């Protein structure tokens, strides 16, 4: 079985994100970029499945600019076998990403797609679900355990009430949650080996996907700064402020 | 000239930074306090290839360049100076066996050293000879297929825990030409250790004397020919000096980051510290010194990679400059923190204590000046 793992290039989680002065988005120039942490978890899971003999090939896909190739290299250094770069300078929305993934899944015919439950830049939490819908596959979201058993998989999901274990038929789209595993570090020799692994390059157009956005961003703003508190003289003043300023009573 | 990192170098640096942030930094203060030698974490580092960074691949090394290694040690030291520095000594000792050892020695020792199943120490200094290392007196007398060793090595990093001691001994007459290099295993009869030294910094690794009393080591453990030991020891130190310089860079980077963050938080006289021009200028100087030190260190690493005839000169210059700058930057960062900088609750006093020894070991900074001046005046004499 093949596993397809999309890996997104996002602003590194350690970076303090700054909004552009014109409110059109966030600053990405000269900012450290890394693989979306949930995607690292997906790659780790796929590589572990390969090490366990359940999976034959792990393919890492990134949809983004030329530099997204570095993110694919990271996945290859962690143990993925080959990469596909869907090159575009447009900022793709989850629906367009899902369409690209559907096109690649139609071509590669993997038994499983492991998608991060969300990307830490836009926090959409949509791509996995949309991809499953477009493909007409089963979906198992927020996975904390994945077990493959013949033509089925058993997936433990993190739900509000606790854990839920479901059985789904392959092929399936799984979205990975934080507790699925702890991703490994890429070792120096594996970083070197990753250079020799192939990366195919294609584009949304070649995959027959229209990358045009369906949403329009009106404004991006910093969260409001926390204002300092004030001291009140007595209970009467407190009640007055709660009623007339905070308007909570 | 290109000052940007290659894609590979960025990936090596990233790997080391992540490892340091997750596995070293959270424990560095505790290891310092309890003098804990983090063998488990170092073995994890070895799994990533950090124990034989510039050792050949056939024995488990990563076969990278000195420039790559400098980037890696800088990143590791940002997490824990003392542990990064020990890894640098282990790498140096392993490289000496890789570079100057024969096939049997490489196959016998290196697979265990690159995985850190075994840990290596470098033994040059003696109680009576430090800077003047060629005056060492530990004697090795040939007896059949063995050497019989008598003497003591002082200040040995890792002593007591390390499994393999790459030791410089006197097999011939006085001076550098009488020195040979031997691999002394920990279980050698007649090998013992002094008590762990109590010291200012570098507390996450033990330092102790290595005592040799009629210790028998097979002649097969000699690295290189008789009389080549001093040359081998000095070759190791060229790279070692870059690594120690890089460790100072990493710690100084941490200290500068802490100082800048603090300047954005702490208030005095109704303003943030960062609004005082005197401190702005101090921060500007710290960052400038750090950048200069970084460029010299990378330059020296490049010279060594290119086997430039000036490599030793560049290594000495970089070691002198970067370890002095590293100490000054950590000390200034402590000063910017005021009284808090002096407390154990903040990392600054540990940074100052840890980088201080970089000005002393692997050749004191005075000895770096001796090397630089000898080269300058030697060139002058040759030209006249
Ligand atoms: C924590 C720690 C760990 C160490 N780890 C190791 C290790 O793993 N392996 C190892 O072999 N060694 C190790 N050393 C030893 C270290 O390399 C020596 O301490 C160093 O080389 C200086 O030698 P010394 O202490 O004998 O000083 P000395 O040589 O006695 O020097 C005393 C002072 O005189 C100055 N001086 C000496 N000669 C000259 C000169 N010609 N011109 C101008 N000034 C001069 C020196 O710079 C110094 O300031 C370690 C030391 C420390 C503190």
């Amino acid at each position: 079985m093949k596993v397809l793992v999309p890996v997104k290039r996002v602003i590194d989680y350690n970076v303090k994100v700054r909004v552009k002065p014109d409110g059109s988005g966030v600053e990405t120039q000269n900012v450290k970029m890394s693989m979306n942490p949930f995607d690292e978890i997906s790659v780790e899971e796929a590589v572990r499945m390969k090490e366990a003999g359940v999976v034959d090939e792990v393919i890492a896909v990134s949809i983004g600019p030329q530099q997204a190739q570095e993110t694919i290299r990271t996945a290859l250094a962690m143990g993925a076998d080959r990469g596909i770069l869907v090159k575009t300078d447009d900022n793709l929305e989850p629906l367009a990403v899902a369409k690209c993934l559907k096109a690649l899944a139609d071509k590669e015919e993997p038994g499983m797609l492991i998608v991060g439950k969300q990307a830490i830049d836009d926090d959409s939490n949509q791509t996995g679900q949309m991809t499953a819908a477009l493909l007409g596959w089963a979906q198992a979201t927020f996975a904390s355990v994945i077990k493959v058993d013949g033509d089925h998989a058993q997936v433990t999901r993190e739900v509000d009430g606790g854990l839920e274990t479901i059985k789904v038929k392959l092929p399936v789209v799984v979205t990975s949650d934080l507790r699925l595993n702890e991703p490994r570090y890429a070792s120096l020799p594996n970083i070197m080996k990753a250079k020799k692994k192939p990366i195919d390059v294609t584009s949304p157009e070649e995959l027959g996907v229209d990358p045009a956005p369906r949403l329009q961003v009106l404004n991006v703003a910093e969260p409001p700064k926390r204002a300092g508190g004030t001291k009140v003289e007595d209970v009467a003043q407190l009640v007055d402020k709660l009623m007339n300023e905070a308007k909570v009573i | 000239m290109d000052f940007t990192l290659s894609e590979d170098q960025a990936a090596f640096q990233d790997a080391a930074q992540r490892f340091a942030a997750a596995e070293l930094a959270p424990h560095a203060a505790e290891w310092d306090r309890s003098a804990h030698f983090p063998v488990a974490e170092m073995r994890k580092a070895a799994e990533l290839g950090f124990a034989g960074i510039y050792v050949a691949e056939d024995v488990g090394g990563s076969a990278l360049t000195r420039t790559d290694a400098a980037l890696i040690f800088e990143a590791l030291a940002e997490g824990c100076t003392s542990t990064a520095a020990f890894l640098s000594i282990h790498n140096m000792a392993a490289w000496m066996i890789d570079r100057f050892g024969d096939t049997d020695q490489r196959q016998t020792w290196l697979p265990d050293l690159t995985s850190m199943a075994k840990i290596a120490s470098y033994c040059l200094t003696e109680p009576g000879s430090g800077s003047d290392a060629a005056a060492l007196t530990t004697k090795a007398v040939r007896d059949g297929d063995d050497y019989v060793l008598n003497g003591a090595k002082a200040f040995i990093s890792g002593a007591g825990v390390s499994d393999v001691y790459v030791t410089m001994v006197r097999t011939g007459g006085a001076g550098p030409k009488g020195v040979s290099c031997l691999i002394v295993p920990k279980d050698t009869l007649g090998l013992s250790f002094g008590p762990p030294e109590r010291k200012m910094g570098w507390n996450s690794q033990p330092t102790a004397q290595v005592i040799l009393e009629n210790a028998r080591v097979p002649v097969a453990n000699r690295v290189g020919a008789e009389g080549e030991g001093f040359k081998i020891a000095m070759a190791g130190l060229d790279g070692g000096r870059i690594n120690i310089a890089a460790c100072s860079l990493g710690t100084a980077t941490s200290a500068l980051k802490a100082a800048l963050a603090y300047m954005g938080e702490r208030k005095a006289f109704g303003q943030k510290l960062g609004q005082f021009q005197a401190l702005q200028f101090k921060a500007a100087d710290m960052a400038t010194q750090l950048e200069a030190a970084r460029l010299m260190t990378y330059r020296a690493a490049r010279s060594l990679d290119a086997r430039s005839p000036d490599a030793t000169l560049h290594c000495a210059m970089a070691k002198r400059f970067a370890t002095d700058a590293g100490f000054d930057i950590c000390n200034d960062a402590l000063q910017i923190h005021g009284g808090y900088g002096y407390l154990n609750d903040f990392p600054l006093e540990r940074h100052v204590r840890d980088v201080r020894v970089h000005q002393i070991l692997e050749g004191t900074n005075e000895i770096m000046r001796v090397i630089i001046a000898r080269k300058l005046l030697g060139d002058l004499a040759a030209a006249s």
Side-chain angles (χ1 to χ4, degrees):
Chain A
M1 170 167 95
K2 281 190 210 175
V3 174
L4 202 70
V5 185
V7 293
K8 185 175 186 182
R9 183 172 182 266
V10 299
I11 294 181
D12 187 86
Y13 68 96
N14 280 315
V15 171
K16 197 170 173 294
V17 175
R18 278 179 226 276
V19 172
K20 284 187 194 161
D22 67 0
S24 64
V26 299
E27 197 54 74
T28 53
Q29 290 287 318
N30 290 323
V31 171
K32 184 171 166 45
M33 307 291 280
S34 308
M35 188 190 299
N36 175 38
F38 290 103
D39 299 344
E40 277 183 28
I41 294 172
S42 304
V43 174
E44 175 67 33
E45 194 65 16
V47 171
R48 285 189 194 183
M49 286 162 81
K50 184 175 169 184
E51 286 166 350
V54 183
V55 163
D56 316 306
E57 192 182 32
V58 179
I59 309 165
V61 181
S62 195
I63 304 167
Q66 181 60 42
Q67 296 94 308
Q69 185 174 312
E70 290 163 27
T71 311
I72 297 177
R73 289 264 180 243
T74 306
L76 298 177
M78 288 174 71
D81 297 290
R82 64 184 166 96
I84 302 174
L85 172 63
V86 182
K87 202 169 136 185
T88 171
D89 289 325
D90 294 322
N91 206 352
L92 261 54
E93 287 171 1
L95 182 60
V97 172
K99 286 179 180 170
C100 291
L101 294 178
K102 176 190 176 340
L104 290 171
D106 286 342
K107 209 165 106 193
E108 298 283 351
E109 299 181 336
M112 189 181 288
L113 247 87
I114 311 181
V115 185
K117 75 165 178 180
Q118 70 201 70
I120 61 165
D121 50 1
D122 58 19
D123 279 341
S124 293
N125 181 6
Q126 297 172 2
T127 304
Q129 295 87 330
M130 286 178 170
T131 310
L134 291 173
L135 283 164
W137 289 7
Q139 57 174 289
T141 50
F142 317 131
S144 63
V145 181
I146 307 174
K147 279 192 207 131
V148 176
D149 182 12
D151 59 350
H152 284 79
Q154 238 189 50
V155 178
T156 303
R157 307 180 56 230
E158 303 217 352
V159 294
D160 282 347
L163 296 175
E164 175 189 77
T165 302
I166 59 170
K167 192 174 167 190
V168 287
K169 209 166 155 347
L170 301 181
V172 60
V173 176
V174 181
T175 75
S176 49
D177 213 323
L178 206 57
R179 275 164 287 271
L180 182 56
N181 59 50
E182 252 193 65
R184 71 194 64 192
Y185 306 100
S187 73
L188 303 178
N190 286 342
I191 292 171
M192 296 303 284
K193 277 185 213 141
K195 288 202 312 188
K196 297 189 191 103
K197 295 181 180 176
I199 298 179
D200 288 334
V201 182
T202 176
S203 66
E205 291 74 17
E206 269 179 43
L207 296 174
V209 175
D210 169 16
R214 306 291 198 267
L215 303 172
Q216 192 191 345
V217 174
L218 299 180
N219 188 35
V220 177
E222 298 264 2
K225 286 226 161 42
R226 265 180 67 180
T230 53
K231 272 193 181 163
V232 290
E233 299 286 322
D234 49 29
V235 175
Q237 201 186 354
L238 173 66
V239 172
D240 176 65
K241 277 188 184 289
L242 288 174
M243 271 174 78
N244 299 316
E245 274 182 36
K247 297 192 168 53
V248 291
I249 53 174
Chain B
M1 251 180 275
D2 187 358
F3 293 100
T4 53
L5 300 185
S6 72
E7 197 184 316
D8 286 347
Q9 287 172 331
F12 303 147
Q13 186 183 53
D14 187 59
Q17 279 171 345
R18 281 166 170 250
F19 180 81
E23 309 287 341
L24 303 181
H27 311 295
E30 176 51 32
W31 294 340
D32 172 61
R33 204 172 302 128
S34 61
H36 172 71
F37 193 33
V39 172
E41 283 75 8
M42 291 196 298
R43 290 199 172 125
K44 272 195 203 172
E47 279 175 30
L48 303 187
F50 297 153
I53 300 175
Y54 40 87
V55 168
E57 273 170 315
D58 65 324
V59 285
S62 300
L64 302 186
T65 66
R66 302 306 180 117
T67 314
D68 300 334
L71 292 167
I72 290 165
F73 286 117
E74 180 181 347
L76 293 177
E78 241 190 284
C80 178
T81 314
S82 160
T83 306
F86 186 80
L87 282 169
S88 115
I89 294 172
H90 174 90
N91 269 274
M92 170 169 74
W95 173 81
M96 287 161 66
I97 299 175
D98 187 35
R99 170 73 180 73
F100 298 102
D102 60 29
T103 312
D104 275 356
Q105 289 167 343
R106 292 183 69 255
Q107 295 301 336
T108 305
W109 303 103
L110 290 173
D112 282 345
L113 292 181
T114 51
S115 69
M116 260 188 141
K118 290 202 166 113
I119 301 172
S121 285
Y122 171 94
C123 310
L124 177 65
T125 308
E126 297 186 353
S129 75
S131 299
D132 185 11
L136 66 86
T137 59
T138 295
K139 213 149 175 51
V141 178
R142 182 90 185 240
D143 179 26
D145 289 338
D146 292 338
Y147 285 109
V148 180
L149 274 53
N150 278 291
K153 293 289 168 181
F155 290 112
I156 301 310
S157 304
V161 181
S162 283
D163 307 279
V164 175
Y165 296 83
V166 179
T167 308
M168 271 39 79
V169 296
R170 186 158 305 282
T171 49
K177 297 248 157 63
V179 175
S180 298
C181 175
L182 297 183
I183 302 171
V184 183
K186 187 185 184 182
D187 58 10
T188 300
L189 218 63
L191 171 74
S192 63
F193 304 101
E197 307 289 356
R198 294 166 56 222
K199 52 194 193 284
M200 175 178 181
W202 270 32
N203 285 319
S204 82
Q205 46 163 311
T207 309
Q209 281 201 16
V210 172
I211 300 156
L212 298 151
E213 290 165 311
N214 290 322
R216 275 184 178 270
V217 174
V219 172
N221 284 16
R222 192 188 64 227
V223 179
E226 269 199 10
E228 278 185 357
F230 197 73
K231 188 192 81 185
I232 294 172
M234 292 303 117
L237 281 182
D238 276 343
R241 284 171 188 154
I242 294 172
N243 299 343
I244 287 298
C247 287
S248 282
L249 297 178
T251 312
T253 304
S254 274
L256 177 59
K257 277 186 191 161
L260 293 174
Y262 197 68
M263 284 168 69
E265 283 165 19
R266 178 75 174 174
K267 283 193 178 152
F269 298 95
Q271 304 184 46
K272 296 225 169 107
L273 295 185
Q275 285 165 306
F276 296 111
Q277 198 177 42
L279 298 188
Q280 291 173 1
F281 275 33
K282 194 193 268 294
D285 285 346
M286 289 159 75
T288 307
Q289 286 289 101
L290 180 57
E291 189 61 14
R294 190 172 272 137
L295 292 178
M296 284 188 75
T297 306
Y298 296 171
R299 155 61 181 258
R302 281 276 189 94
S303 288
L304 205 54
D305 283 329
R307 295 173 192 249
S308 154
D310 283 336
T312 298
L313 175 71
H314 290 155
C315 290
M317 286 174 160
K319 194 272 183 183
R320 204 288 288 161
F321 190 87
T323 59
D324 282 351
F327 180 76
D328 291 344
I329 292 164
C330 292
N331 200 26
D332 283 343
L334 186 156
Q335 186 71 17
I336 287 172
H337 280 74
Y340 295 97
Y342 197 71
L343 302 185
N344 293 153
D345 302 330
F346 287 76
L348 286 310
E349 58 85 33
R350 171 165 49 88
H351 292 336
V352 169
R353 288 187 288 108
D354 278 343
V355 295
R356 183 62 182 84
V357 75
H358 300 184
Q359 295 169 293
I360 297 172
L361 48 65
E362 311 229 343
T364 65
N365 284 4
E366 288 75 24
I367 293 304
M368 295 306 104
R369 292 180 174 90
V370 171
I371 294 170
I372 296 162
R374 194 186 290 149
K375 171 80 177 151
L376 297 177
L377 297 170
D379 285 355
L380 199 68
S384 63

